[in-house]
Amino acid sequence: MNIQIPNWLIILGGCGQIFTALIYPYIRHHVFDWYNDVKQLKPLNQEIAKTYGRYIQGLNFSFGLIAIIIPEELKNHSKLAIALTGLIAAYWVGKVATQIAYYPMYNIPKNRLFKIGSYGMNFLFTLFAIVYTLLVITNIFKL
């Protein structure tokens, strides 16, 4: 069996990851009213929450940049390719699993833009999880 993940799909996924990093502040502010919720925390916990938010944004941007700049290296079967695609796959599979397990119980705004946006973001998260899972599998088994 020979599975080839085209570079354009990896690059498209990279663009999507950068998009998620860039849209993240808008979503936190306008969809979730995140900053008002964070203000209710103790000062140290406020800073921890903001730091974790920046980590998420930074990881999404970094993973996207890596995919755009070196798509061929992400599928070259090296130990580094296995480690990196495994890390990114675990990150996005974890995100999708968290989304399925916990997010349905929360009240997300129901207007049309946010509803379409949530479907779009869930599609992107699932795409990232699938692409990177396939990448790590093909890197490990040299399919």
Side-chain angles (χ1 to χ4, degrees):
M1 179 192 322
N2 188 10
I3 298 173
Q4 290 291 330
I5 299 167
N7 284 354
W8 67 264
L9 183 57
I10 298 169
I11 292 168
L12 180 68
C15 292
Q17 289 174 97
I18 289 175
F19 171 76
T20 64
L22 296 176
I23 198 75
Y24 191 65
Y26 175 85
I27 292 170
R28 281 191 308 216
H29 183 69
H30 295 287
V31 177
F32 297 119
D33 196 25
W34 188 78
Y35 294 101
N36 283 327
D37 291 342
V38 169
K39 286 179 187 175
Q40 297 175 30
L41 299 172
K42 294 176 184 175
L44 178 59
N45 291 335
Q46 287 180 27
E47 292 309 313
I48 291 169
K50 291 175 188 175
T51 299
Y52 286 160
R54 289 184 208 106
Y55 284 155
I56 290 168
Q57 193 173 1
L59 283 172
N60 292 0
F61 190 87
S62 299
F63 292 159
L65 202 56
I66 289 166
I68 291 168
I69 293 173
I70 57 168
E72 197 63 42
E73 284 82 354
L74 290 175
K75 56 184 186 176
N76 70 6
H77 312 293
S78 69
K79 290 178 183 176
L80 182 57
I82 293 167
L84 190 52
T85 56
L87 169 68
I88 299 171
Y91 177 87
W92 287 113
V93 168
K95 170 63 175 151
V96 170
T98 301
Q99 196 97 357
I100 292 167
Y102 297 108
Y103 288 14
M105 68 180 85
Y106 296 104
N107 188 18
I108 296 173
K110 302 289 186 220
N111 76 40
R112 185 177 172 96
L113 176 65
F114 294 148
K115 189 171 189 107
I116 293 169
S118 73
Y119 289 133
M121 295 301 280
N122 288 333
F123 171 79
L124 285 175
F125 300 153
T126 304
L127 173 69
F128 306 152
I130 290 169
V131 168
Y132 283 99
T133 299
L134 286 173
L135 277 168
V136 74
I137 290 168
T138 59
N139 276 324
I140 291 170
F141 298 108
K142 297 183 180 171
L143 301 175

